[in-house]
């Protein structure tokens, strides 16, 4: 065997047995030379080394490989590696590249590239160039110069398997000695998200951690890309707007400029339900029609009780929904939540009732009316707090979105409770009210 053939055999064995180290060497070479080296070896050796390359380098090399070899490496590489490289391409270029593959392979890669609508993968920027953990500072700087990517504040470091190992601040990289190992200035990762995690998970991390860039990993832990601050903020705004719409029965699919018929179709069912619940509240008032006719002051004070119980319920609802969304609580915490809201409603009810008593006494001069509204205020605020905690928990328990029309349901409950407690207690204390009227 000639010396040249021996070197060729050794290189091929290196590509096959040590693809991670081979990829590191290939990344330090011009893309043209790396493509030529891979093309000079057996396709299976080229596949092993190519799929270990950083996605941006792999894309450049892929575009310089012969057509047959390019098709072979995309087909035979791990699907996750091929998808990571294809995501670096513009949509039209990606479509053309997929058209050269076998239909079954193309469909598989296309399906893997299409992340669900509300997933972290949809928010991700895959055009990010990670650094190798074995690099020196000088090698990392040369790598960045070759990439020529602007707007970077921190860089991510991966191991030979492409798994996320840490991050490096751009300022520290620029100030460090060129011979210093990258691992010495490498920092830990604050937070990560998986590519298939829901958007709510991204929002939760943003609210919990002071970050501007969130790295995205595959299910195997390979670094795929990042979600930048603009996308993070957009996710928060989208999540907040969806919650606002669904809480009042509007569809999350409806936009500001949606067609009128679409808006009607989405809103009308909940408006009809709201009308039925309004009749229910009116029926409660009708039960005590004679009491109201006898003591007209009750009609004046009725909205006061209903309004306070509604506010108390809305506060409990907001806190409970936030807890469910951020996973501070789960369904098994419902006894603690109910106890907390019961205690909160009782203390707040007593405090509000004391203030109300002063105002009602100076307005009416009737101690009977003071007793009635104070008792009704405490009862209605306690029950409203319980309802505010219970409504989203029950919706979650039965597999529904806790934000779905919870505001409409809660409004009905608090109105009915407020009316019934106030008018019911007034009926019980009718004798005291008559003495006050005289």
């Amino acid at each position: 065997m000639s010396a040249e053939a021996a070197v060729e055999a050794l290189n091929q064995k290196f590509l096959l047995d040590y693809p991670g180290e081979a990829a590191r060497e290939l990344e330090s070479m011009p893309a043209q030379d790396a493509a030529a080296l891979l093309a000079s070896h057996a396709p299976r050796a080229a596949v092993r080394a190519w799929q270990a390359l950083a996605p941006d380098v792999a894309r450049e090399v892929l575009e310089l490989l012969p057509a047959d070899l390019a098709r072979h490496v995309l087909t035979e590489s791990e699907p996750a590696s091929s998808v990571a490289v294809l995501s670096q391409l513009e949509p039209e270029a990606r479509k053309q590249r997929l058209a050269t593959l076998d239909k079954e392979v193309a469909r598989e890669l296309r399906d893997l590239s299409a992340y669900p609508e509300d997933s972290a993968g949809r928010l991700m920027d895959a055009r990010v160039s990670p650094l190798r953990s074995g690099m020196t500072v000088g090698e990392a700087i040369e790598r960045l110069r070759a990439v020529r990517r602007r707007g970077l504040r921190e860089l991510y470091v991966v191991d030979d398997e492409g798994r996320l190992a840490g991050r490096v601040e751009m300022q520290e990289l620029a100030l460090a000695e060129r011979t210093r190992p990258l691992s010495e200035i490498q920092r830990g990762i604050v937070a990560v998200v998986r590519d298939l995690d829901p958007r709510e998970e991204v929002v939760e991390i943003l609210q919990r951690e002071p970050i501007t860039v969130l790295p995205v990993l595959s299910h195997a832990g390979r670094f795929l890309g990042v979600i930048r601050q603009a996308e993070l903020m957009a996710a928060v705004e989208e999540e907040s707007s969806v919650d606002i719409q669904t809480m009042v029965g509007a569809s999350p699919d409806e936009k500001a400029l949606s067609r009128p018929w679409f808006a009607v179709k989405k809103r009308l069912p909940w408006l009809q339900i709201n009308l039925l619940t309004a009749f229910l509240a009116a029926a409660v008032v009708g039960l005590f029609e004679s009491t109201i006719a006898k003591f007209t002051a009750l009609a004046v004070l009725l909205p006061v009780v209903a309004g306070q119980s509604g506010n108390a319920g809305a506060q409990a609802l907001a806190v409970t929904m936030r807890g469910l969304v951020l996973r501070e609580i789960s369904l098994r915490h419902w006894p603690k939540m109910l106890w907390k809201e019961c205690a909160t409603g009782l203390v707040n009810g007593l405090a509000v009732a004391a203030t109300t008593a002063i105002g009602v006494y100076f307005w009416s001069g009737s101690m009977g009316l003071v007793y009635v509204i104070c008792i009704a205020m405490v009862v209605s605020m306690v029950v409203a707090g319980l309802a505010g905690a219970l409504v989203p928990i029950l919706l979650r328990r039965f597999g529904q979105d806790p934000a779905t029309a919870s505001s409409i349901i809660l409004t009905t409950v608090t109105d009915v409770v407020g009316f019934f407690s106030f008018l019911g207690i007034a009926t019980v204390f009718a004798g005291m009210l008559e003495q006050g009227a005289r």
Side-chain angles (χ1 to χ4, degrees):
M1 180 185 293
S2 66
E4 185 176 343
V7 171
E8 183 99 5
L10 285 173
N11 284 340
Q12 181 160 305
K13 184 172 178 57
F14 182 61
L15 293 174
L16 286 169
D17 295 346
Y18 306 98
E21 294 181 23
R24 190 182 305 165
E25 295 298 325
L26 290 169
E27 288 172 0
S28 66
M29 301 166 55
Q32 185 74 46
D33 293 344
L37 190 149
L38 291 179
S40 67
H41 290 85
R44 63 192 181 96
V47 168
R48 289 275 291 169
W50 180 83
Q51 67 181 5
L53 292 170
D56 59 315
V57 177
R59 173 188 57 80
E60 294 180 16
V61 171
L62 180 71
E63 294 174 345
L64 297 170
L65 290 176
D68 290 344
L69 182 57
R71 184 164 54 250
H72 182 80
V73 295
L74 278 176
T75 301
E76 298 300 326
S77 293
E78 290 291 332
S81 299
S82 297
V83 168
V85 174
L86 290 171
S87 66
Q88 301 278 323
L89 302 173
E90 295 297 329
E92 188 59 35
R94 187 186 311 131
K95 183 178 179 181
Q96 293 175 1
R97 185 66 68 177
L98 287 170
T100 66
L101 305 178
D102 179 78
K103 289 184 179 180
E104 291 297 324
V105 175
R107 181 164 62 247
E108 179 187 16
L109 296 180
R110 194 178 294 112
D111 290 344
L112 289 173
S113 301
Y115 289 107
E117 185 66 34
D118 291 332
S119 66
R122 277 295 183 98
L123 302 172
M124 176 183 69
D125 179 6
R127 294 170 298 178
V128 178
S129 305
L131 303 174
R132 295 281 179 177
S133 55
M135 286 181 169
T136 64
V137 169
E139 290 171 338
I141 292 174
E142 292 303 320
R143 173 96 166 85
L144 291 177
R145 286 176 177 169
V147 172
R148 296 183 180 276
R149 189 67 50 79
R150 297 180 180 275
L152 300 174
R153 292 186 178 180
E154 59 183 14
L155 309 165
Y156 290 95
V157 182
V158 298
D159 61 18
D160 289 342
E161 300 298 324
R163 292 188 292 265
L164 188 61
R167 62 189 175 91
V168 174
E169 297 286 343
M170 181 66 80
Q171 183 178 1
E172 291 188 21
L173 184 69
L175 297 176
E177 294 290 336
R178 292 180 63 87
T179 56
R180 193 175 179 186
L182 204 58
S183 58
E184 292 186 4
I185 62 171
Q186 178 179 310
R187 297 186 178 187
I189 300 298
V190 177
V192 298
V193 69
R194 303 288 174 174
D195 55 345
L196 294 179
D197 284 347
R199 182 179 58 198
E200 291 85 349
E201 187 76 19
V202 176
V203 173
E204 176 186 345
I205 292 173
L206 177 61
Q207 292 173 336
R208 189 177 68 234
E209 304 290 350
I211 56 176
T212 57
V213 179
L214 180 62
V216 182
L217 309 182
S218 69
H219 69 282
R222 287 176 61 92
F223 177 74
L224 298 178
V226 298
I227 302 177
R228 301 188 186 278
Q229 188 175 32
E231 285 73 23
L232 287 171
M233 297 307 299
V236 173
E237 292 174 2
E238 179 71 15
E239 190 64 26
S240 300
S241 65
V242 166
D243 283 347
I244 291 171
Q245 288 185 205
T246 53
M247 282 181 68
V248 294
S251 169
D253 300 327
E254 183 183 339
K255 307 301 180 185
L257 296 178
S258 295
R259 294 179 179 276
W261 175 243
F262 180 83
V264 169
K265 183 172 65 173
K266 294 295 183 179
R267 297 184 196 180
L268 186 57
W270 284 110
L271 289 175
Q272 297 287 12
I273 293 172
N274 196 33
L275 180 62
L276 292 176
T277 58
F279 276 122
L280 177 62
V284 172
V285 177
L287 291 175
F288 299 96
E289 185 177 357
S290 59
T291 304
I292 295 174
K294 194 172 183 180
F295 308 106
T296 54
L298 297 177
V300 177
L301 297 176
L302 190 60
V304 176
V305 178
Q308 285 300 112
S309 63
N311 288 337
Q315 289 174 341
L317 174 69
V319 171
T320 305
M321 283 195 53
R322 182 181 182 276
L324 289 171
V325 170
L326 299 183
R327 296 179 175 84
E328 295 174 347
I329 59 171
S330 61
L331 297 182
R332 70 174 183 272
H333 292 112
W334 69 266
K336 290 183 178 179
M337 284 298 301
L338 295 187
W339 166 248
K340 173 209 167 186
E341 293 302 334
C342 180
T344 303
L346 178 62
V347 174
N348 285 340
L350 290 171
V352 171
T355 306
T356 306
I358 297 172
V360 170
Y361 182 77
F362 280 106
W363 174 67
S364 66
S366 169
M367 284 303 299
L369 197 57
V370 169
Y371 290 143
V372 167
I373 197 167
C374 285
I375 296 172
M377 188 72 75
V378 173
V379 171
S380 63
M381 288 188 68
V382 170
V383 176
L386 293 174
L390 202 56
V391 166
I393 289 175
L394 286 176
L395 286 172
R396 173 66 66 85
R397 171 65 182 81
F398 291 107
Q400 301 297 316
D401 183 353
T404 304
S406 52
S407 180
I408 291 177
I409 297 172
L410 181 65
T411 299
T412 302
V413 172
T414 53
D415 282 351
V416 169
V417 168
F419 294 164
F420 194 87
S421 62
F422 183 52
L423 297 175
I425 292 169
T427 303
V428 172
F429 287 89
M432 293 182 64
L433 292 175
E434 287 179 356
Q435 286 183 352
R438 287 195 293 269

